[in-house]
Amino acid sequence: MLQRLFLFLHLLRSLIDYPLRQLFRWRRKGLQIINEDKASLYNHLAEPSRSQAEAAASRLREAYHLEPLYSTSTRDNYQENLYYLAMLESAFSTVSPQFPEKLNAADIGPSHWFYVQALYAALKWWRCPAEREVTLTGFERDAYRIYSDLYSRYDHALAHIGRLQGVTYIPVAFKVQPASYHVVTQFFPFIFLSDHLKWGLPPAMFNPSALLVAAWLSIKPGGLLIIVNQGKAEHTAQLEHLRRANIPVQAAFVFNSPLYHYNLPRFITIACREHG
Ligand SMILES: C[S@@+](CC[C@H](N)C(=O)[O-])C[C@H]1O[C@@H](n2cnc3c(N)ncnc32)[C@H](O)[C@@H]1O
C-alpha cells in the first residue's frame, strides 16, 4: 500500500518536474573529476576473490589501455568501469563478432555515462591491438536532471567523456535509425514501470518493447544488440520482450565478477542480426 502511494507520488512529480527539466535544460561549466589513489583497490575482498580481482584489473588496464582513466578517476568509478569492461569483454567473447576497422555504436539511456570509458575501450581494443576507429553516441532522454552538486546529468556525462575522440552525448530519446550501428547497448533499460517512475520519467514514456524494437532495427546486418539487466525477474521479463518481438537471442547468462559489488546479479543478453 505504502509502495503504491510512493509510486503515485513519483508519477505526480514526474508530470511536473520532467517537463520543467526539458524547459530549463540546466547546464553548468567547470565540473572536474578529482583523481583518487588506486592502491590496494581490492583489499576489502577475501581470498581468493582478492587475487582474482587484482589479476583481472591489471590485465584489463593493460589490454584496454586504461592509463588515462586510471589517472583521472575516483576509485569507485574506476572499479565500476572495470566491471562494465569485463561484462562487455565477456559478451564479445561469447559471440565473437567480426568488428570492422571503423565501428559505429550507440548506447541507449546512458544516464551520466559514468561507464563511457569502459564502453569505448571495449569497442576500440577488443581483439584489435592496432586500435579500431570508434564512433560512439549516447542517447539520453533525461539529460537535464540536476544532481546534488548542482551539475546536470549532461555535465557529468561530458566530464566522464573527457578527451575521448568520436564520442557524443545526445540529450534526446532514442529513435529508430535503420541499420546504422554495428553495436547497440542497453545497460539497464527500464523493464518495469515502477523503475521508470522512480527515475522520474512520465508514465506515457514507458514503452520498453517499442524501445527494444527501435534498437534492433537500428543495428546493421551482422551487428550486435547487448542488453544488461539486473535481477532474475527483470532478465526474465526482458527475454519475454525479445521473444514477442521475434528477436533471436544468441546468448543469455548471468555475469559474475569480483571487480565490483552489486546487490542484484547482472544478466547479459546478446542478439545478433543476420548478415545481409
Ligand atoms: C536505469 S537507467 C540506466 C543508466 C545506465 N545505462 C547504467 O548503466 O546505469 C535508464 C536510463 O535510460 C534513460 N532512458 C529511458 N528511456 C529512454 C529512451 N527512450 N531513450 C534514451 N534514454 C532513455 C533514462 O532516462 C535513464 O537514464
Side-chain angles (χ1 to χ4, degrees), residues 57-115:
S58 108
R59 184 187 64 76
L60 291 171
R61 182 175 160 193
E62 189 171 336
Y64 291 90
H65 304 257
L66 298 181
E67 215 51 52
L69 177 65
Y70 186 84
S71 54
T72 58
S73 53
T74 63
R75 284 169 74 85
D76 186 74
N77 180 246
Y78 184 69
Q79 286 171 300
E80 200 161 16
N81 268 273
L82 288 173
Y83 183 93
Y84 272 64
L85 183 48
M87 276 199 292
L88 286 159
E89 188 184 58
S90 162
F92 294 163
S93 304
T94 302
V95 293
S96 291
Q98 296 290 319
F99 286 152
E101 277 175 25
K102 292 186 180 185
L103 184 143
N104 196 20
D107 185 33
I108 303 177
S111 182
H112 61 291
W113 234 1
F114 57 88
Y115 57 89

Side-chain angles (χ1 to χ4, degrees), residues 80 84 107-115 139-143 153 172-175 186-190 196 199 201 205 211 230:
E80 200 161 16
Y84 272 64
D107 185 33
I108 303 177
S111 182
H112 61 291
W113 234 1
F114 57 88
Y115 57 89
F139 295 88
E140 174 51 55
R141 154 159 264 159
D142 195 6
R153 190 170 270 172
V172 298
F174 184 79
K175 297 260 169 7
Q186 284 190 280
F187 293 94
F188 314 109
F190 296 132
H196 173 99
W199 275 63
L201 294 178
M205 292 176 181
L211 185 57
Q230 50 186 333

Side-chain angles (χ1 to χ4, degrees), residues 39-47 50 54 75 79:
S40 315
L41 274 180
Y42 292 102
N43 263 6
H44 58 285
L45 297 179
E47 291 294 1
R50 185 194 301 180
E54 282 169 355
R75 284 169 74 85
Q79 286 171 300

